[in-house]
Amino acid sequence: RKIGNLFIVIFLIALGSDIINDLLNRLLFVSYPAFANILVMSTPLMLPSLYLYIRSISFKDNRLKKLDLLHLIPFMITNMFLIFDYHLKQTHIQSEVLSTGEGMSDIYVPLFYFIYITQLILYSVLSIKEVNRYKQIVFENYSDTLKNNYKWVKQLIFAFLIILTVAVIKNLVNYFFSDALFEIILLILRIFDLLFISWIIYKALKRPYIFTG
């Protein structure tokens, strides 16, 4: 389970970084724009790491393959653009990007959202597919361990799909509705995120066998 636990740690770091980034965006990044967008560099790892965790916990003989390196492509593309289009720019341009949203390449935001939506659909489908495959294995080889693992991954993917739904609503509101409504949806999303992380930690403390095998 070591490799699976590594993936869930990467997932939690990426999710936690996204939450902290929103907080620091209001408290720190306005004065120190050079530090902005560093935490969100891990965001493209969130969905792949969750999928790989589900795959690793569902199948004990699962091994990483060279083909799995393809999961890093969105991470590499978005960060390449972010480094050259933001972090290497002068401070006053970084401040303009944060305050007005202007100053970055016209392709970056559409590219980021294209990757985000593609990942959302692709990894949601792949994760649900893995859970359904695991369900079949549980029915064919019934045991308490398999049953508990299946229940855990099913709850995990279901809870995260709720968060993804709220995240999609947040992004739609950001473009088509008022800033006030956006802030409300964002607050709801971050509350869900914190509850989700707390729930995973609670599971780890109460039922450590889920993570130890």
Side-chain angles (χ1 to χ4, degrees):
R1 290 291 176 82
K2 289 183 179 180
I3 188 66
N5 290 339
L6 174 61
F7 288 133
I8 195 67
V9 167
I10 294 173
F11 167 74
L12 291 174
I13 289 174
L15 181 58
S17 297
D18 203 35
I19 299 172
I20 296 172
N21 183 76
D22 279 338
L23 178 62
L24 295 182
N25 195 38
R26 293 162 171 77
L27 301 178
L28 179 66
F29 296 154
V30 175
S31 302
Y32 303 96
F35 294 101
N37 291 321
I38 292 178
L39 292 174
V40 297
M41 294 177 77
S42 63
T43 299
L45 294 176
M46 190 185 306
L47 289 166
S49 60
L50 180 63
Y51 162 70
L52 290 172
Y53 170 74
I54 291 174
R55 196 180 74 179
S56 68
I57 199 175
S58 300
F59 305 98
K60 288 185 177 181
D61 59 347
N62 177 69
R63 295 289 185 273
L64 286 178
K65 304 174 183 177
K66 291 182 179 180
L67 195 62
D68 289 323
L69 291 174
L70 294 176
H71 295 292
L72 293 175
I73 291 177
F75 170 78
M76 296 169 64
I77 292 175
T78 54
N79 283 299
M80 180 184 68
F81 272 91
L82 198 57
I83 290 170
F84 286 98
D85 215 21
Y86 180 83
H87 290 293
L88 295 182
K89 295 289 183 67
Q90 296 180 344
T91 303
H92 72 277
I93 297 179
Q94 293 175 341
S95 297
E96 181 182 354
V97 171
L98 294 178
S99 59
T100 65
E102 300 179 354
M104 295 186 71
S105 169
D106 293 337
I107 195 176
Y108 176 73
V109 173
L111 175 66
F112 178 83
Y113 277 105
F114 172 77
I115 291 176
Y116 171 76
I117 295 298
T118 302
Q119 280 193 317
L120 190 154
I121 297 173
L122 176 63
Y123 286 109
S124 294
V125 171
L126 288 176
S127 296
I128 292 173
K129 183 179 178 180
E130 291 295 334
V131 172
N132 287 334
R133 284 178 59 196
Y134 191 45
K135 178 181 178 181
Q136 187 64 34
I137 292 175
V138 172
F139 285 156
E140 293 176 356
N141 306 276
Y142 186 86
S143 73
D144 289 339
T145 300
L146 290 176
K147 182 180 178 181
N148 289 330
N149 286 345
Y150 168 68
K151 183 178 179 181
W152 160 240
V153 295
K154 184 175 71 172
Q155 291 175 342
L156 183 67
I157 189 62
F158 178 76
F160 192 63
L161 285 176
I162 293 176
I163 291 177
L164 286 180
T165 301
V166 178
V168 170
I169 294 173
K170 178 208 70 172
N171 290 324
L172 292 174
V173 168
N174 186 33
Y175 280 97
F176 299 108
F177 296 93
S178 66
D179 291 340
L181 182 58
F182 170 76
E183 292 294 333
I184 293 173
I185 301 297
L186 179 60
L187 177 61
I188 293 173
L189 175 63
R190 293 317 177 202
I191 291 174
F192 278 20
D193 287 339
L194 290 173
L195 290 174
F196 181 65
I197 293 174
S198 299
W199 174 68
I200 292 177
I201 295 173
Y202 169 76
K203 284 285 189 179
L205 294 174
K206 186 177 180 181
R207 299 178 180 176
Y209 58 82
I210 292 176
F211 300 93
T212 57

